[in-house]
C-alpha cells in the first residue's frame, strides 16, 4: 500500500504537468479523484488492512491527497494566467481591414412608382383602395357598358378562369365568368357599390392580359382614378391630369386630351404628355424629327366622363351625379420619366440585379 501511494503521487505530479489547459486539468481531477478514480479505488482497500496499518496508511493517503490537490490549484492559476496572456494573440483584429458591408436592398422600381403616384393623388384628396385581381366578368366588362360578346372586349386580351359562372344577383347584372382583371376600371363599380358619395378613389393593382413584347408583359400594373360628385366638369379632369403630369414628370410637361372611344366614358379621351426630348415640338434643334415621339406627344392612357350606364350599374343616379375616370399603366408611365430610356418593358420583371440596382 505504501508503495502504491508513493507511485500514485509520482505519476500524478507528472500527469499534472502534462495538463495544458483548464479542460485537461478537469479531466485529470476526474481520473484521480472521480468515483472510479485511481486514488478513490486505492483507498477503498484501506478497510482490508490491520487497525495499525489502516491508521498509518490512512494518514499517508490523506497527506498525498492534500498535496496533489494543492498542486492542482497551483497548476490552475498558472493555466489561467497563460490563457489571459494569449487572448491578445488569439483574438487579434486587424482594424485596418475594410468592414463587411451587409447588402441593403431597395423597393422595386414598380413599387417606387406606385408609392410616388399614390402620394401625388393623395394630395388631391384621392383615397387609395384595393379591389380584387380575380374578378367577375360583371365588374371587368358588363357593368362598364361592355355587354357579353361586344367586340370592344377583344382589346382587353383577357385571361379567363375555368370555374363555374357566378349566379345572377337581384337588381344587378349577372356576375358571369371569372377573369384575371385586365384593367383597374373593374374597381369603379365596386367603389360605387360602397354607397358613399362623393367619390375620390385611386385603385392601384396588378392587371393581366395575354400579351408579351417589348412594350407588354402578361402581368403589369395600372392605376385608376375615379371622381364622382355633382356638376363635375372636363376642366376638373384636365386640372387633375395636369397636376399629376407636373408632379410626376416635371414642371415643364403638359398634357393633351385627344378624342377617343371607350365604352365606359362619354366623351372619352386618350391622354398624351408632351415629349421631354423635343419639348413637345416633334423636332430636334437641328430640324430633324424627334425619334422618341415623332410629333411632340407621347400617349399615356385613357380618361373620360363616366358613362351614365356605368353610374346606373353602380346604383348612382346619373341625373344627379356625374364624374370622370382615368386609367394608366404604372410601368409605362414610369418608363416615360425623363432620361429613363428603358426600351424593353420586360426587363422590369427579369429580376436581373444589374438592371434593378440602377433605380
Ligand atoms: N381601362 C382602360 C384600359 O385599360 C383605360 C381607361 C380608359 C380607364 C378610360 C379609364 C377611362 O378610367 O376613363 O385601357
Amino acid at each position: 500500500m505504501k508503495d502504491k501511494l508513493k507511485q500514485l503521487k509520482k505519476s500524478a505530479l507528472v500527469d499534472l504537468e502534462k495538463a495544458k489547459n483548464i479542460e485537461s486539468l478537469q479531466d485529470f481531477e476526474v481520473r484521480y479523484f472521480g468515483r472510479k478514480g485511481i486514488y478513490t479505488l486505492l483507498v477503498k482497500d484501506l478497510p482490508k488492512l490491520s487497525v495499525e496499518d489502516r491508521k498509518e496508511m490512512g494518514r499517508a493517503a490523506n497527506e498525498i491527497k492534500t498535496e496533489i490537490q494543492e498542486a492542482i490549484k497551483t497548476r490552475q492559476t498558472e493555466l489561467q494566467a497563460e490563457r489571459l496572456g494569449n487572448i491578445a494573440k488569439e483574438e487579434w483584429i486587424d482594424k485596418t481591414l475594410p468592414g463587411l458591408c451587409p447588402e441593403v436592398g431597395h423597393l422595386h422600381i414598380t413599387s417606387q412608382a406606385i408609392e410616388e403616384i399614390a402620394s401625388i393623388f393623395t394630395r388631391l384628396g384621392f383615397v387609395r383602395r384595393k379591389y380584387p385581381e380575380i374578378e367577375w366578368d360583371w365588374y371587368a366588362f358588363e357593368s362598364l357598358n361592355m355587354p357579353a360578346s361586344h367586340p370592344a372586349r377583344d382589346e382587353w386580351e383577357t385571361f379567363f378562369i375555368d370555374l363555374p359562372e357566378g349566379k345572377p344577383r337581384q337588381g344587378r347584372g349577372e356576375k358571369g365568368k371569372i377573369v384575371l382583371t385586365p384593367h383597374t376600371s373593374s374597381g369603379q363599380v365596386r367603389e360605387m357599390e360602397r354607397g358613399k358619395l362623393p367619390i375620390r378613389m385611386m385603385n392601384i393593382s396588378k392587371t393581366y392580359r395575354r400579351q408579351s413584347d417589348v412594350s407588354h408583359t402578361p402581368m403589369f400594373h395600372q392605376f385608376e382614378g375615379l371622381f364622382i360628385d355633382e356638376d363635375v366638369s372636363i376642366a376638373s379632369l384636365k386640372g387633375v391630369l395636369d397636376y399629376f403630369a407636373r408632379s410626376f414628370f416635371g414642371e415643364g410637361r403638359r398634357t393633351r386630351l385627344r378624342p377617343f372611344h371607350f365604352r365606359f366614358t362619354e366623351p372619352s379621351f386618350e391622354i398624351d404628355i408632351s415629349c421631354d426630348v423635343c419639348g413637345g415640338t416633334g423636332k430636334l434643334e437641328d430640324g430633324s424629327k424627334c425619334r422618341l415621339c415623332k410629333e411632340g406627344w407621347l400617349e399615356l392612357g385613357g380618361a373620360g366622363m363616366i358613362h351614365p350606364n356605368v353610374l346606373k350599374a353602380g346604383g348612382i343616379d346619373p341625373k344627379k351625379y356625374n364624374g370622370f375616370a382615368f386609367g394608366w399603366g404604372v410601368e409605362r408611365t414610369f418608363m416615360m420619366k425623363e432620361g429613363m430610356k428603358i426600351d424593353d418593358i420586360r426587363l422590369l420583371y427579369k429580376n436581373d440585379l444589374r438592371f434593378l440596382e440602377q433605380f
Side-chain angles (χ1 to χ4, degrees):
M1 184 80 161
K2 206 173 192 171
D3 290 344
K4 277 190 186 164
L5 277 172
K6 260 192 193 161
Q7 188 57 40
L8 184 144
K9 182 177 154 189
K10 219 168 156 192
S11 69
L13 293 178
V14 173
D15 278 357
L16 200 53
E17 276 310 303
K18 285 192 205 147
K20 290 285 176 252
N21 53 42
I22 302 284
E23 289 76 35
S24 50
L25 196 63
Q26 278 162 356
D27 289 347
F28 168 88
E29 245 187 310
V30 174
R31 194 146 26 90
Y32 279 86
F33 300 107
R35 253 184 341 117
K36 287 183 182 158
I38 304 171
Y39 177 88
T40 320
L41 293 180
L42 190 64
V43 295
K44 262 197 182 152
D45 286 340
L46 277 177
K48 288 182 195 157
L49 302 177
S50 64
V51 183
E52 275 297 286
D53 286 354
R54 205 190 305 160
K55 250 191 188 169
E56 196 190 331
M57 288 305 120
R59 201 181 310 119
N62 262 339
E63 273 168 17
I64 285 176
K65 186 178 180 182
T66 321
E67 227 173 295
I68 299 175
Q69 279 177 337
E70 286 294 316
I72 291 177
K73 264 191 213 146
T74 317
R75 186 79 190 121
Q76 196 171 12
T77 323
E78 271 169 27
L79 288 173
Q80 259 158 4
E82 211 171 282
R83 178 146 87 180
L84 286 177
N86 278 343
I87 276 186
K89 226 189 282 166
E90 282 165 10
E91 296 184 10
W92 184 82
I93 298 169
D94 184 352
K95 286 194 283 185
T96 64
L97 280 178
L100 291 177
C101 190
E103 279 195 46
V104 180
H106 63 73
L107 289 180
H108 186 273
I109 6 177
T110 305
S111 304
Q112 289 180 35
I114 289 174
E115 300 284 313
E116 192 178 344
I117 292 165
S119 88
I120 292 171
F121 285 106
T122 305
R123 291 204 288 275
L124 291 177
F126 285 79
V127 176
R128 185 156 171 207
R129 296 231 196 280
K130 194 110 182 59
Y131 285 117
E133 287 171 25
I134 301 176
E135 186 55 288
W136 298 109
D137 180 291
W138 161 259
Y139 290 106
F141 293 114
E142 188 100 22
S143 69
L144 296 176
N145 205 26
M146 279 189 274
S149 64
H150 193 282
R153 288 179 169 219
D154 291 352
E155 282 171 40
W156 276 268
E157 308 260 15
T158 313
F159 287 107
F160 287 89
I161 295 190
D162 204 5
L163 278 174
E165 295 193 10
K167 295 211 173 60
R169 294 155 302 171
Q170 240 206 327
R172 306 237 192 280
E174 298 191 11
K175 284 181 181 171
K177 291 197 167 122
I178 301 176
V179 300
L180 292 186
T181 195
H183 57 174
T184 42
S185 303
S186 55
Q188 288 193 13
V189 168
R190 281 202 178 264
E191 176 69 18
M192 294 178 206
E193 282 179 353
R194 295 177 76 238
K196 291 197 181 116
L197 286 162
I199 290 172
R200 281 173 180 71
M201 176 209 69
M202 170 96 321
N203 174 27
I204 309 183
S205 154
K206 288 196 176 72
T207 44
Y208 305 83
R209 292 188 198 178
R210 291 185 290 110
Q211 308 169 325
S212 179
D213 56 44
V214 286
S215 50
H216 298 93
T217 46
M219 183 286 300
F220 60 109
H221 296 75
Q222 281 195 340
F223 63 101
E224 183 94 8
L226 183 71
F227 190 109
I228 301 177
D229 208 332
E230 292 175 27
D231 299 322
V232 180
S233 70
I234 296 179
S236 311
L237 167 63
K238 179 84 164 78
V240 168
L241 298 176
D242 278 341
Y243 178 79
F244 173 75
R246 284 198 310 272
S247 314
F248 192 80
F249 295 105
E251 273 305 314
R253 307 293 281 275
R254 284 163 294 134
T255 59
R256 172 174 86 169
L257 298 185
R258 185 161 37 79
F260 200 73
H261 176 73
F262 291 108
R263 291 280 306 174
F264 35 94
T265 41
E266 182 57 39
S268 302
F269 310 101
E270 274 205 320
I271 308 151
D272 296 333
I273 177 154
S274 58
C275 172
D276 70 301
V277 172
C278 62
T281 60
K283 282 202 183 102
L284 299 180
E285 270 174 18
D286 62 5
S288 64
K289 247 190 176 175
C290 176
R291 262 182 301 124
L292 187 65
C293 67
K294 296 192 182 72
E295 41 133 358
W297 298 92
L298 297 162
E299 183 195 318
L300 263 187
M305 303 304 288
I306 303 163
H307 195 289
N309 286 353
V310 178
L311 290 169
K312 274 191 227 158
I316 294 175
D317 180 0
K319 291 205 188 79
K320 207 166 160 218
Y321 290 95
N322 74 335
F324 59 77
F326 54 88
W328 283 309
V330 171
E331 292 84 348
R332 205 185 156 73
T333 309
F334 173 78
M335 283 163 74
M336 284 185 189
K337 261 201 165 180
E338 211 171 327
M340 272 308 155
K341 299 203 171 96
I342 302 172
D343 57 8
D344 186 341
I345 195 172
R346 292 170 298 190
L347 281 170
L348 265 64
Y349 298 113
K350 281 211 167 124
N351 285 342
D352 185 337
L353 288 180
R354 290 169 303 176
F355 172 78
L356 295 174
E357 279 173 350
Q358 298 174 60
F359 303 96

